């Protein structure tokens, strides 16, 4: 067996580095290339070799991951108590009793539990206080679990986060554009005379941008001397008088929804 038992990390950073190495090793054993490469780890998947080594005809076998990012299928340690917490026993017995993906997922769950046990064993052994234990857990929790990687949940979550991030970025750009045209949610709201004189060029640019914009209620074109508000849901522009919104009222609206969008949301 690898000399992992003699490696004793003593700081939160060292324990986390130990955790990541063991985790990478077990992911390597349990995943296929398509699930693995998106994590950006330069390792080849060994799932076929892992499957072969877990022969149900053999004795109780365990999956070990080491800080060196190497994995091993072997018998459990003989000493009692062991130097480190031991992984789940007998992972090989269920190999042929269920579908391969379900078996790999089951081993992944037990592997996650073992990694946490090892990390917090080090924390207890070297006297991590409450703050250190919390920091270690937060660092670990920022990584997808082995189960999430094996089942593809982590990949899905990454795609969803990217989609949300892109949507937020696009929404921010849209809001920024509208904000430069007017106040964040409306245009031409009760401007003082001296501000009008100072902002003549901005008004001309705004009128050019809105020149072809139609009111979502009356269908009339934009006019620079009229109060104008945008729906945050459908992003259509409306004359304030058409939707009964005054400049003073608009100042207190965090998210404006036009009558049409409000009616849609109210339906069961």
């Amino acid at each position: 067996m690898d000399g992992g038992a003699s490696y004793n990390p003593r700081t939160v950073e060292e324990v986390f580095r130990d955790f990541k190495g063991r985790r990478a090793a077990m992911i390597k054993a349990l995943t296929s290339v398509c699930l693995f490469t998106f994590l950006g780890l330069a390792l080849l998947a060994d799932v076929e070799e892992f499957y072969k080594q877990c022969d149900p005809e053999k004795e109780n076998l365990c999956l070990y991951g080491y800080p060196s990012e190497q994995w091993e299928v072997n018998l459990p340690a003989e000493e009692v108590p062991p130097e480190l917490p031991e992984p789940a026993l007998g992972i090989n017995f269920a190999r042929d009793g269920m579908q391969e993906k379900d078996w790999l997922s089951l081993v992944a769950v037990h592997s996650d539990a073992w990694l946490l046990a090892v990390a917090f064993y080090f924390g207890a052994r070297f006297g991590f206080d409450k703050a250190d234990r919390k920091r270690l857990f937060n660092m670990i929790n920022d990584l997808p679990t082995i189960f999430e990687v094996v089942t593809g949940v982590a990949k899905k979550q990454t795609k969803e986060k990217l989609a949300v991030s892109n949507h937020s970025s696009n929404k921010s750009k849209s809001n920024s554009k509208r904000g430069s045209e007017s106040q964040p949610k409306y245009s031409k709201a009760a401007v003082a005379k001296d501000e009008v004189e100072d902002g003549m060029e901005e008004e001309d640019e705004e009128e050019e941008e809105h020149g072809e914009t139609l009111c979502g209620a009356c269908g009339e074109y934009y006019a620079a001397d009229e109060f104008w508000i945008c729906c945050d849901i459908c992003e259509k522009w409306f004359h304030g008088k058409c939707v009964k919104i005054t400049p003073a009222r608009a100042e207190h609206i965090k998210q404006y929804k036009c009558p049409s969008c409000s009616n849609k949301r109210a339906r069961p």
Side-chain angles (χ1 to χ4, degrees), residues 129-238:
D129 60 18
K130 181 179 179 180
D132 283 341
R133 292 194 303 271
K134 184 176 182 180
R135 187 156 65 94
L136 174 60
F137 179 78
N138 288 338
M139 293 168 73
I140 289 172
N141 204 38
D142 284 338
L143 297 174
T145 64
I146 297 176
F147 175 79
E148 289 173 336
V149 175
V150 169
T151 58
V153 172
K155 189 174 185 180
K156 182 180 178 182
Q157 290 175 340
T158 300
K159 288 183 177 179
E160 289 175 348
K161 286 180 180 179
L162 288 174
V164 170
S165 176
N166 290 336
H167 176 74
S168 298
S169 177
N170 291 337
K171 187 71 174 178
S172 176
K173 290 178 182 177
S174 175
N175 288 340
S176 176
K177 182 179 179 181
R178 279 183 279 155
S180 67
E181 293 168 350
S182 58
Q183 301 299 324
K185 299 178 183 298
Y186 50 88
S187 175
K188 299 304 151 199
V191 185
K193 289 183 179 180
D194 57 335
E195 292 176 336
V196 171
E197 293 174 356
D198 293 337
M200 289 299 293
E201 292 182 2
E202 291 181 7
E203 288 183 9
D204 292 337
E205 292 176 1
E206 186 172 67
E207 188 166 2
E208 288 179 7
E209 285 193 51
H210 282 298
E212 299 300 320
T213 302
L214 299 178
C215 173
C218 69
E220 295 295 326
Y221 286 101
Y222 168 82
D225 59 347
E226 292 182 298
F227 175 69
W228 196 249
I229 189 166
C230 179
C231 175
D232 285 306
I233 306 302
C234 65
E235 297 189 351
K236 291 182 181 179
W237 287 86
F238 299 84

Side-chain angles (χ1 to χ4, degrees), residues 105-126:
S105 298
L106 181 62
V107 176
V109 169
H110 287 292
S111 298
D112 281 319
W114 179 67
L115 287 178
L116 287 173
V118 171
F120 280 86
Y121 166 84
F122 285 130
R125 181 172 178 177
F126 296 112

